[in-house]
Amino acid sequence: MKRRELAAIGFMTFALFLGAGNLIFPPMMAQQAGENWLIAIVGFLLTAVGLPALTLIVLGRLSSADKLTASLPHWMDRTFWFLVLTTLGPAFVLPRAVTVAYEMGIKPFYQGNGLMLFSVLFCLLTLILALKPGKLVSYIGKVMTPALIVMLALLVIAALINPLGSPTDANAIYKAAPTVNGMIQGYMTLDAIAAVAFGWVIIQTIRSTGISCNKAISYYTLRIAGIYALLMSLCYLAMGYLGATSSSIAPNSTNGGEILTRYAAGEFGTFGQILLATITLMACLTTTIGLTNANGEYYKNTYNVPFKISAVVIMSLTAIISNVGLETIIEVSLPAILILCPIAVSLIIAIIFMPNTVSNEKRKFSMSQTLIVIIATLFGSIDALNILGKIPSAIHQDLTAWLPLFNAHASWLLPVLVTIFGSKVIHIIQRNRNAVATC
């Protein structure tokens, strides 16, 4: 693969992840972290960038995204991918991206209610671009991403030359443990689960360049993940700086979108608002294209559904759901994503420590992987209920006292690691026993 092609796919990967949520998350966190914003951002990068990059690297080593669950029972394998791609697709993330694009990109300049027309046009544009997956690198990697980077750089350079405030005192949680809380916020971006979906797109894009050797796919995925990690880290640092220096222009903001809107207007006036609107629209568009492509690739490879039909259905559902109460959709779908994320991360960790559990034979089950998914689902459900505030106070106190990492929304991690370690030990014992038996 030529360096220019590699860079273009790396840029494309960065743009696929860079949705509006990724832009507005760090400014809010950095404003709350105040003088400790840089320490908090370090923790944020470990989980918000580190976990997705690690996921891409593992999927590249497998050379196919579906091998992540190949050793699970058939029903569990299909259920996992259906839930992941449905919630990241028309059931949650795609309608949210359309709505956020409208709220931040169009609504500030339009007094009426144009969401219905906008959603139809936005989904139609997404569909047109997604229907030519071979052109994704040209559309996104070579054109849209460089333009997006230039626009972000313009806003950040203006902030560096003329900051509109200075970091204030950190609030209580960021004063006590800025790095740990930054890691929690980074994990809550849920980009690790998005990386599982985008793995379909990235590996297919690498194959479209003529590369079919598994070792070469692994090598290039590693380099692409490195480009993504560098660009996304710089973006998060830049957005964090804007938030940390927004004390004068946007004090006591309720969300990162408000901070960015006021900062852009403060630096450039009306042009700044147009600039931010363009950044938001482009960031949301690249994400919707990528997720539509991921869904289409999955249904084509798994169920032999033509890519065009899948894309049309997905975009049609997205256009409809974007107009029928996104709050309800979030309420229904968010628990699924909060549970699916620890399952996905657990599968990635399991493959790192137990690569031999990935079977190249169809439907050769791994009991250890199945058990890991069950444990991650059980404890991930507890974390989801905690995040959603659905656990009674008395039980919450008991879980805080007895369940490690409960307040960090990662109570699934230790049980999963114990399960992986136990499975590893059992595997070693069985292997040694078989070796002795053959002597």
Side-chain angles (χ1 to χ4, degrees):
M1 187 186 298
K2 296 179 181 178
R3 289 184 179 180
R4 188 173 180 179
E5 286 181 318
L6 180 67
I9 299 175
F11 279 16
M12 180 195 78
T13 303
F14 163 70
L16 294 180
F17 280 95
L18 187 65
N22 301 83
L23 290 173
I24 65 180
F25 222 105
M28 190 72 245
M29 185 196 72
Q31 187 184 72
Q32 294 175 347
E35 59 191 357
N36 292 334
W37 77 272
L38 196 54
I39 304 174
I41 276 288
V42 170
F44 185 87
L45 294 179
L46 288 174
T47 48
V49 178
L51 283 179
L54 180 63
T55 300
L56 293 179
I57 291 168
V58 170
L59 292 178
R61 197 171 75 182
L62 296 176
S63 73
S64 177
D66 58 347
K67 285 186 180 180
L68 180 66
T69 55
S71 297
L72 294 175
H74 184 70
W75 69 268
M76 191 178 287
D77 173 17
R78 293 293 174 87
T79 301
F80 172 79
W81 283 112
F82 176 77
L83 290 175
V84 165
L85 291 165
T86 300
T87 51
L88 288 176
F92 177 46
V93 176
L94 281 176
R96 185 185 66 174
V98 173
T99 305
V100 170
Y102 175 75
E103 292 289 335
M104 293 186 63
I106 302 298
K107 196 172 181 179
F109 309 98
Y110 180 70
Q111 299 300 321
N113 185 5
L115 177 59
M116 182 177 293
L117 177 61
F118 173 82
S119 61
V120 171
L121 294 176
F122 195 84
C123 289
L124 182 61
L125 178 59
T126 297
L127 183 61
I128 292 171
L129 296 177
L131 282 178
K132 296 182 179 180
K135 297 287 186 180
L136 276 182
V137 176
S138 297
Y139 291 147
I140 300 177
K142 295 180 180 179
V143 179
M144 297 174 72
T145 310
L148 186 58
I149 291 173
V150 168
M151 288 186 288
L152 286 170
L154 185 62
L155 180 59
V156 174
I157 290 171
L160 289 171
I161 296 173
N162 180 39
L164 301 180
S166 58
T168 57
D169 290 337
N171 66 16
I173 63 170
Y174 287 104
K175 188 170 290 186
T179 304
V180 172
N181 283 287
M183 291 176 67
I184 294 171
Q185 295 301 313
Y187 172 72
M188 289 303 297
T189 64
L190 303 176
D191 270 359
I193 191 72
V196 171
F198 288 142
W200 289 88
V201 180
I202 295 161
I203 292 172
Q204 183 60 33
T205 303
I206 293 173
R207 291 184 184 277
S208 70
T209 64
I211 294 170
S212 57
C213 171
N214 290 348
K215 288 186 178 179
I217 291 173
S218 176
Y219 170 74
Y220 285 116
T221 305
L222 175 63
R223 298 185 68 180
I224 289 166
I227 295 171
Y228 149 77
L230 175 62
L231 292 175
M232 190 61 82
S233 296
L234 290 174
C235 178
Y236 281 147
L237 282 167
M239 295 301 102
Y241 175 78
L242 292 179
T245 57
S246 65
S247 55
S248 299
I249 195 71
N252 303 316
S253 295
T254 57
N255 60 75
E258 184 181 348
I259 292 173
L260 290 181
T261 300
R262 293 189 183 182
Y263 217 109
E267 291 285 3
F268 299 111
T270 303
F271 171 75
Q273 293 177 303
I274 296 173
L275 177 66
L276 182 61
T278 307
I279 291 172
T280 303
L281 288 169
M282 195 171 290
C284 290
L285 182 61
T286 54
T287 299
T288 56
I289 293 169
L291 288 174
T292 302
N293 192 273
N295 274 268
E297 287 292 339
Y298 170 72
Y299 288 111
K300 182 180 74 173
N301 294 337
T302 307
Y303 299 103
N304 293 319
V305 178
F307 183 94
K308 185 176 182 179
I309 293 177
S310 296
V312 170
V313 171
I314 289 162
M315 279 294 95
S316 298
L317 289 173
T318 299
I320 294 170
I321 294 172
S322 298
N323 289 274
V324 293
L326 191 57
E327 292 78 9
T328 303
I329 299 301
I330 292 175
E331 186 177 346
V332 172
S333 302
L334 187 57
I337 292 184
L338 293 173
I339 296 170
L340 286 168
C341 192
I343 295 173
V345 175
S346 297
L347 286 170
I348 294 295
I349 296 173
I351 288 173
I352 292 173
F353 290 102
M354 299 188 301
N356 56 341
T357 61
V358 179
S359 174
N360 291 319
E361 301 177 34
K362 284 191 174 183
R363 306 273 59 89
K364 183 177 180 181
F365 303 142
S366 168
M367 185 58 70
S368 59
Q369 271 204 333
T370 304
L371 182 59
I372 287 165
V373 169
I374 293 172
I375 295 294
T377 302
L378 175 62
F379 286 92
S381 299
I382 294 173
D383 286 330
L385 290 172
N386 183 26
I387 293 168
L388 297 170
K390 300 296 184 180
I391 297 179
S393 57
I395 298 176
H396 190 281
Q397 291 177 1
D398 291 337
L399 291 174
T400 300
W402 295 102
L403 192 58
L405 301 177
F406 174 71
N407 285 334
H409 311 310
S411 61
W412 58 270
L413 182 58
L414 188 58
V416 164
L417 291 177
V418 170
T419 304
I420 292 173
F421 178 76
S423 299
K424 185 78 172 178
V425 170
I426 292 172
H427 174 74
I428 293 172
I429 292 173
Q430 289 178 339
R431 186 179 62 188
N432 291 339
R433 185 179 296 168
N434 292 337
V436 171
T438 57
C439 292

